Amino acid sequence: MPTHASGNSAQQPQQAQPQQRPPSVMLLVPSGDLMHSQCTYALAMAMSNLVAHGVSVAATFETSSVIAIARRNLVDHFMRSNCEFAWWVDSDMMFPIDAPIRLLNRGVPLVGCNYRKRYFPNPHFTAMNGKPGNVTEYKTTDQSPEMERVDCIPHGMMMVHRSVYQRIPAPHYLFEYDAKLNVEVGEDYYFCQKARQNGIDVWCDNALSRQIAHIGIMNYDHNLSQCVKGVQDGIIQVPSKPATTAS
C-alpha cells in the first residue's frame, strides 16, 4: 500500500495510475567505464526480487562521459519499450534488495532518494530546495518524515512513471548555464524543475534514503556511520585546527 507523505505538505501524494496487474520496470543505468562491484551485486539481487514479486523487468545501460546525453538516450530506450516505470540507478550506489519494490509501493509518479555527495570532509546532501543561485540543502536525518516533497532530488535512486516523460516536453535532461548568476544548472535540477512546472510533485523517500549509500573512498550513508568509524579506528585522519594564541 502507498505510504502517505508528511512534512511540508498537507496534501495527499499524487497517485500513479492504478495497477490492475504487477507493474513493469526498466532499469536505467548511466555510467562511465566503471560499475562498482557493490552496486552490481545490489542490482542483481534487487532485479531478482522484482521478478519474485511478479514484476516484469528489463534493463538498459548507457556509457557516456556526458551524463545529460546518457540520461536522454536512456529515456529514449525506455519510451520505446512497453515498461511502465523507469528505475534509475547510478553505478556507484548501494541499496537494499527491496529498494525498487518500496519505491513502487509509494504510489506516486516521481519519487527518489536523498544521498550524500562523495566529497570528504564536506559530503553535503544532494537533494535541495530553492532556485539556482539560492538553494538550500535538504537533509535526511533519523527524524525526517518518511516522505516529503522537495524541489530537486538526484537520480542515483529514483522511480519515474512513464506518464511523467509523456507530460514533460523533451528534452528531459539538459545542463544549463545561467549567465546572470554564473552558475551551472545540473540535469537533475533541470528535470525536477520541468516536472514541477508541469504539475508533478517531486517526492523524497527519506525512509529508504536512510538505507542507501554513495560509494566512494567509503560508503557515504545518511549519518556518515562508516566515516565516523573510520575516524575512531584511525583509518581516516581529520586535520586538527591550529591552536590560537591570545593577542
Side-chain angles (χ1 to χ4, degrees), residues 75-189:
V75 170
D76 288 342
H77 298 322
F78 171 65
M79 296 305 290
R80 289 199 298 267
S81 77
N82 60 1
C83 293
E84 298 160 85
F85 288 90
W87 177 35
W88 289 97
V89 179
D90 282 355
S91 60
D92 54 1
M93 301 300 299
M94 271 293 295
F95 48 92
I97 186 174
D98 61 349
I101 293 289
R102 291 163 64 177
L103 291 173
L104 287 171
N105 285 343
R106 289 305 189 185
V108 295
L110 174 52
V111 58
C113 290
N114 190 18
Y115 50 88
R116 292 182 179 273
K117 297 179 180 180
R118 300 180 301 169
Y119 300 154
F120 185 82
N122 297 305
H124 302 297
F125 281 100
T126 46
M128 63 185 75
N129 288 314
K131 298 180 179 180
N134 185 28
V135 296
T136 302
E137 175 188 9
Y138 176 81
K139 299 180 180 180
T140 295
T141 69
D142 291 332
Q143 289 73 44
S144 297
E146 282 202 1
M147 287 265 285
E148 194 161 19
R149 287 194 300 187
V150 295
D151 289 339
C152 176
I153 198 81
H155 271 56
M157 178 63 53
M158 178 182 279
M159 191 71 71
V160 185
H161 191 264
R162 170 178 287 269
S163 61
V164 174
Y165 292 111
Q166 294 171 331
R167 193 166 172 178
I168 301 174
H172 301 102
Y173 297 97
L174 278 180
F175 277 112
E176 286 191 324
Y177 174 69
D178 190 317
K180 183 177 180 180
L181 298 174
N182 191 30
V183 296
E184 295 279 355
V185 179
E187 91 289 351
D188 291 356
Y189 190 94

Side-chain angles (χ1 to χ4, degrees), residues 50-87:
L50 282 169
V51 173
H53 281 80
V55 179
S56 299
V57 299
T60 183
F61 293 66
E62 183 75 21
T63 301
S64 175
S65 59
V66 183
I67 186 65
I69 294 177
R71 294 203 190 282
R72 290 200 298 270
N73 289 343
L74 287 167
V75 170
D76 288 342
H77 298 322
F78 171 65
M79 296 305 290
R80 289 199 298 267
S81 77
N82 60 1
C83 293
E84 298 160 85
F85 288 90
W87 177 35

